[in-house]
Amino acid sequence: MGDEALGPGGPPILLSAGCLFHLPLKLIARIGREAGFAGMELIMNSPKLTPQAGLEKINEILPIRSLHAPFRDWAAWGGHLNSWKATTALANSLPQADHITMHPPGSKLANMIQNRWFEKAVDLPLLLDAKGRIRFSLENMPWAEGSPFGRDPLDRLTAQCRDKNVGLTFDVCHMGVSGRDVLHAIDKVPVDLLYNVHFSDAVGFTEHLTPGAGALPLDDFLKRLGKRGYDRYITLELEPSAFPDDIDRTIEVLVRLRQDMETQLQLGRGA
C-alpha cells in the first residue's frame, strides 16, 4: 500500500474527497498531496465518473487508493447494484485503487424487496467483477438503540461481512452518534476484518466534526489501532465547513490533523 509517512506497518492516511467536495477534484488532489496524505478516497457522486473520465491526471497528483460507492440517488446509475458495479469498474481502471467502501442497502421493507440480490449474494467481489487486488468493505451506519433482546447491530454487520466475503469500514462518528462506546466497539471488530476507518468527531447527533470539536475519545481510539498493529486505511472524512475558505490555511489545517493522527498511532504502536 505504499511508503507512507508512518513507515513500514503504519496505516496509510487518506483524504476523503468529500471533505472538500465543493472544490474541483484536481484541486482537492493537490491540497491532499501538499498536506502529506498518502492518497484519496474518491466519492462516487456522479455516473460521469467512469474509466473514461480522465482520472489518470488526478491519480498522478494524489493516488486514488479507495473509492466510496454511491450512497444516494442510485437511480442515476440504474439501481443500487449497478452503482456498485460502476464503482468497481472505475476501481479496476485505477492502478493504485485497491479498496471500495459501500453502505449496506437499507433495512426498510421496500429496500429489502428491491435489493434481494444483496441478501442472496455470497461473494460480492465475484458478483461485482472486481480485479483480484480490489477489496470491499461494508460501512457501519448510525444505529438506533434496538431491543435489548435483539442481536447487536455490530455483530450482525460483522457476520454479514463474513457471509459476503468483504471487510468492514468502521466509521467512528457513526458509532458515536449511535450512542456506542467507540473503544469497546473497535475492540469487538476482528483486526483481519477491518479494512478502512472513517475518522472524524461527533457530539450528540452531529457528525463529521474536526477531531477535538466533538466528544469522542479519538486519541485513545488511534492509540488502540496502533497497539493492535492496524495497517490498512484510515480516511479523514470531515464536513467542508470544518475548513477555512483560504486554500493555504486549509492545507495548514490538514497538515496539523494528519500529523496529530500519526502521533497518536505511533504512541499506540510503541505501547
Side-chain angles (χ1 to χ4, degrees), residues 61-175:
I61 300 171
L62 185 69
I64 299 171
R65 298 192 172 218
S66 179
L67 281 77
H68 195 308
F71 45 84
R72 61 169 67 96
D73 300 329
W74 296 284
W77 285 267
H80 210 137
L81 175 58
N82 285 336
S83 76
W84 285 9
K85 285 187 172 181
T87 306
T88 305
L90 180 57
N92 285 341
S93 75
L94 295 168
Q96 289 169 279
D98 60 9
H99 176 259
I100 296 172
T101 286
M102 307 177 295
H103 287 185
S107 58
K108 293 182 180 179
L109 182 59
N111 290 330
M112 293 175 66
I113 292 172
Q114 185 177 5
N115 294 304
R116 285 196 189 99
W117 60 269
F118 179 76
E119 297 303 323
K120 295 178 180 179
V122 294
D123 192 330
L124 282 174
L126 182 64
L127 175 66
L128 299 172
D129 300 321
K131 288 186 177 179
R133 72 173 187 274
I134 307 295
R135 296 177 301 184
F136 296 82
S137 59
L138 299 177
E139 179 178 348
N140 63 290
M141 305 308 295
W143 294 313
E145 290 296 334
S147 165
F149 305 106
R151 191 177 185 186
D152 183 270
L154 182 56
D155 291 340
R156 288 202 305 268
L157 181 59
T158 54
Q160 192 174 54
C161 291
R162 296 281 191 203
D163 290 344
K164 301 187 183 304
N165 191 26
V166 298
L168 174 71
T169 289
F170 187 99
D171 189 297
V172 187
C173 77
H174 286 173
M175 194 63 68

Side-chain angles (χ1 to χ4, degrees), residues 8-11 154 158 162 168-170 172 175 181-197 219-232 234 264-271:
L154 182 56
T158 54
R162 296 281 191 203
L168 174 71
T169 289
F170 187 99
V172 187
M175 194 63 68
D181 180 332
V182 298
L183 301 181
H184 175 68
I186 194 61
D187 283 346
K188 291 183 65 177
V189 179
V191 71
D192 69 296
L193 202 64
L194 188 61
Y195 287 5
N196 190 15
V197 172
D219 285 354
D220 288 340
F221 179 86
L222 290 173
K223 289 173 187 171
R224 196 74 59 101
L225 287 180
K227 187 173 183 178
R228 293 181 70 183
Y230 177 68
D231 62 358
R232 297 190 178 117
I234 299 180
Q264 299 305 321
L265 288 162
Q266 288 171 335
L267 286 172
R269 289 173 65 191

Side-chain angles (χ1 to χ4, degrees), residues 232-251:
R232 297 190 178 117
Y233 293 140
I234 299 180
T235 304
L236 184 68
E237 190 183 60
L238 308 181
E239 291 286 348
S241 59
F243 301 99
D245 293 333
D246 180 82
I247 298 300
D248 289 336
R249 287 194 297 137
T250 293
I251 293 172

Side-chain angles (χ1 to χ4, degrees), residues 22-39:
H22 57 295
L23 299 177
L25 195 55
K26 190 172 183 178
L27 179 56
I28 297 173
R30 182 175 69 80
I31 290 170
R33 183 188 65 188
E34 294 191 15
F37 283 79

